[in-house]
Amino acid sequence: MTSAIHERALIVDFGSQVTQLIARRLRESGVYCDIHPFNRVDGAFLEAYGPKAIILSGGPSSVTDADSPRADPAVFEAGVPVLGICYGQQVMTCQLGGQVEAGTSREFGRAFIEKVSEDPLFAGLFGGEHEEVWMSHGDHVAEMAPGFGIIARSPGAPYAVIADPERGFYGTQFHPEVVHTPHGSRMLRNFTHEIAGMRGDWTMAAYRDEAIARIRAQVGDGRVICGLSGGVDSSVAAVLIHEAIGEQLTCVYVDHGLMREGESEEVVSLFRGHYNIPLVHVDASETFLGALEGVSDPETKRKTMGRLFIDVFEAEANKIGGAEFLAQGTLYPDVIESVSPHGGPSTTIKSHHNVGGLPERMNMALVEPLRELFKDEVRALGRELGLPESFIGRHPFPGPGLAIRIPGEITREKADTLRKADAIYIEEIRAAGLYDEIWQAFSVLLPVSTVGVMGDERTYEAVLALRAVTSTDGMTADYYPFDHAFLGRVATRIINEVRGVNRVVYDVTSKPPGTIEWE
């Protein structure tokens, strides 16, 4: 948790796909917040955490089911404002004495609410007669709990927004956190700033200073090794830690043979040349590619690479005299997606990150200074630390590198083919001036071969898939709408210049919360 000098809001998660967006909206208005599963929030937790406001998220369950999730009663006894969103509104209603009906008034998509009474929640809103919102519910409030009144309604939701102003309890049937509720961010800000009286005192400059202090307090006189992947996250973590403890840090860059073209040279140049940070460059490509030979299962590939990374770091720690700490660029989405309040599939989403800790044999503690941040916040911290914009703005690159972009068995030949094709793809994106409009772009070498005719010869070669997405923080993504002329130009270059590929396709899949990568 971040320093207690900041006011904090608490988000109680009931399993909604968009809970993370609540946190994003709050942080955008300067409010620090954490997300915690409903079954881990009780009276003792609330006393220790000390929230100034509490938000109950949406969720997939029906409160009419006997075993559906509930908030601990201490949430409503904490003496702070509480906002329930969708399922959160229904939970609040049921637990405080109201009634919810199941499935009699389903409402999904765009809706318009009208104001019934004035309230601070609506400050600066309702410039016209209605406000556009995004509904996504099957159940609905049938009878409000004692003390509540209606402050907004819609044709399909008579209790679209309810409130008990005396206790500071609010409930919305719609989702103010999503972009499809155009003024939802203002509504959330009104709740935290106007109703809960929060100052919004969380800034990236403050985070930098506090993170440095925490690193120094944790590490003391100890030595730290930091695993550099070549991506923004580990790079920002390394520069931040170096600012905190200087020569006590040694970075280890492991070239596993599955990096992007020119990746190793760029990383080594930045850290040895620009920042003068002690850096060990380990060429472990033979070890990694050898261990991956014959392995097709994506989870096995991830775990194999994770094990080998640990082996390399452990060996390097011994060489420098035994480091007590291992640093890595774990982000908040990595943590969130690795803990499901219902024990669901999100527990395996981030298996390639060490979010579960280190092997027992490693007598090292983790240093994870970015664990509280989203991807765009990491970029902001990088700017605060003075990293070059060309590096901060790079598209995300996963630790396993090209391994998760080669479904099926990995070979050096496949890696070389993909690396060349990917370099052409990114080069064309930059040449078209589109690189900064895209959150992540990459190529995937599919385990599929097709018949083609090139010149007067018949070929039987691989299919290459291109992917490009827009996103803010990597929690959700939509495909980038390239024009056909661009795609045709890229495909022509790849087929002409990369031996082994005779067909190129473009992936137009959008992604809900979860991994954007292929495997």
Side-chain angles (χ1 to χ4, degrees):
M1 295 180 184
T2 197
S3 170
I5 66 171
H6 290 295
E7 299 174 327
R8 293 182 289 190
L10 170 66
I11 301 171
V12 180
D13 184 20
F14 289 100
S16 169
Q17 287 190 338
V18 292
T19 297
Q20 295 85 355
L21 296 181
I22 304 173
R24 292 298 304 116
R25 302 297 172 255
L26 265 58
R27 291 189 181 188
E28 286 166 2
S29 64
V31 171
Y32 185 82
C33 58
D34 285 308
I35 299 171
H36 290 273
F38 72 91
N39 53 5
R40 300 185 186 180
V41 176
D42 56 18
F45 176 91
L46 290 169
E47 183 176 356
Y49 189 86
K52 289 276 290 183
I54 298 173
I55 296 179
L56 310 179
S57 83
S61 303
S62 171
V63 295
T64 61
D65 295 338
D67 60 349
S68 59
R70 291 290 187 272
D72 192 287
V75 166
F76 304 110
E77 299 166 1
V80 300
V82 179
L83 170 64
I85 296 174
C86 198
Y87 183 86
Q89 182 203 47
Q90 296 162 11
V91 162
M92 177 187 292
T93 296
C94 285
Q95 292 189 232
L96 296 180
Q99 293 184 12
V100 173
E101 292 182 350
T104 58
S105 180
R106 298 176 60 191
E107 195 173 18
F108 298 93
R110 183 180 293 105
F112 294 88
I113 61 172
E114 62 174 328
K115 181 167 57 177
V116 174
S117 60
E118 295 291 338
D119 191 274
L121 191 68
F122 297 147
L125 301 176
F126 286 97
E129 294 183 3
H130 302 89
E131 277 289 336
E132 182 178 338
V133 300
W134 190 261
M135 295 283 188
S136 180
H137 66 96
D139 300 349
H140 72 281
V141 174
E143 181 180 328
M144 292 182 293
F148 281 81
I150 303 171
I151 59 173
R153 64 190 174 202
S154 73
Y159 303 104
V161 186
I162 59 176
D164 180 344
E166 186 173 334
R167 290 184 287 180
F169 292 169
Y170 286 78
T172 70
Q173 184 60 79
F174 56 88
H175 288 270
E177 69 273 30
V178 303
V179 295
H180 304 295
T181 300
H183 298 125
S185 294
R186 178 60 185 266
M187 195 175 299
L188 289 170
R189 179 184 175 88
N190 287 342
F191 173 72
T192 56
H193 288 64
E194 303 298 329
I195 294 169
M198 301 183 73
R199 299 187 301 273
D201 60 354
W202 190 73
T203 65
M204 193 51 65
Y207 185 91
R208 169 188 176 176
D209 294 340
E210 293 159 16
I212 289 173
R214 286 198 300 272
I215 293 166
R216 289 172 178 166
Q218 179 186 3
V219 172
D221 296 328
R223 294 190 64 81
V224 179
I225 60 172
C226 178
L228 285 178
S229 68
V232 175
D233 306 336
S234 61
S235 299
V236 171
V239 174
L240 178 66
I241 295 169
H242 186 256
E243 187 165 311
I245 61 173
E247 297 299 310
Q248 292 169 244
L249 169 71
T250 298
C251 290
V252 178
Y253 174 69
V254 180
D255 185 346
H256 45 46
L258 294 160
M259 308 304 293
R260 291 176 290 200
E261 191 171 273
E263 188 84 29
S264 298
E265 295 80 1
E266 186 173 358
V267 171
V268 172
S269 173
L270 178 67
F271 283 87
R272 283 184 180 165
H274 188 79
Y275 284 102
N276 198 28
I277 296 176
L279 172 65
V280 177
H281 180 193
V282 182
D283 183 355
S285 56
E286 294 295 336
T287 300
F288 277 80
L289 291 172
L292 292 169
E293 185 176 349
V295 179
S296 297
D297 178 68
E299 191 69 10
T300 303
K301 286 192 287 189
R302 289 175 183 270
K303 290 181 177 179
T304 298
M305 296 191 73
R307 172 177 56 79
L308 292 175
F309 271 121
I310 292 297
D311 290 345
V312 172
F313 295 144
E314 189 174 23
E316 294 303 323
N318 292 333
K319 289 180 184 178
I320 65 174
E324 297 92 337
F325 299 91
L326 173 64
Q328 59 183 26
T330 304
L331 303 191
Y332 200 34
D334 302 332
V335 178
I336 293 168
E337 293 179 344
S338 301
V339 179
S340 168
H342 304 290
S346 64
T347 54
T348 61
I349 287 177
K350 294 293 182 180
S351 57
H352 62 286
H353 285 271
N354 292 316
V355 291
L358 296 172
E360 290 185 6
R361 74 172 191 274
M362 292 189 71
N363 188 26
M364 301 173 72
L366 282 173
V367 178
E368 299 175 308
L370 312 182
R371 193 178 174 90
E372 299 171 337
L373 302 182
F374 289 90
K375 172 70 77 172
D376 56 317
E377 293 172 327
V378 172
R379 296 189 195 280
L381 178 58
R383 294 184 180 95
E384 193 71 36
L385 291 165
L387 269 81
E389 189 63 36
S390 59
F391 200 86
I392 292 172
R394 298 172 81 204
H395 293 175
F397 189 61
L402 302 180
I404 55 176
R405 298 173 183 175
I406 305 177
E409 182 183 1
I410 296 172
T411 66
R412 184 178 292 276
E413 182 182 16
K414 287 183 179 179
D416 289 342
T417 297
L418 179 58
R419 191 168 13 249
K420 292 175 184 176
D422 195 66
I424 291 172
Y425 182 34
I426 299 302
E427 180 183 320
E428 288 293 335
I429 288 175
R430 289 188 182 279
L434 301 176
Y435 190 84
D436 292 337
E437 294 184 25
I438 296 168
W439 192 81
Q440 185 182 41
F442 57 88
S443 305
V444 179
L445 190 65
L446 299 181
V448 177
S449 294
T450 63
V451 174
V453 176
M454 302 178 72
D456 294 323
E457 293 186 49
R458 185 175 181 178
T459 63
Y460 188 63
E461 295 179 330
V463 177
L464 185 87
L466 305 178
R467 180 151 169 75
V469 297
T470 57
S471 182
T472 299
D473 49 32
M475 297 307 301
T476 59
D478 200 2
Y479 72 90
Y480 186 82
F482 288 123
D483 61 46
H484 290 290
F486 173 85
L487 292 174
R489 187 164 61 250
V490 173
T492 299
R493 278 200 62 190
I494 290 173
I495 291 171
N496 286 341
E497 299 176 32
V498 181
R499 185 172 296 278
V501 176
N502 70 358
R503 192 177 302 274
V504 177
V505 299
Y506 184 56
D507 174 16
V508 294
T509 308
S510 298
K511 290 293 291 184
T515 179
I516 290 174
E517 291 295 344
W518 198 276
E519 284 195 345

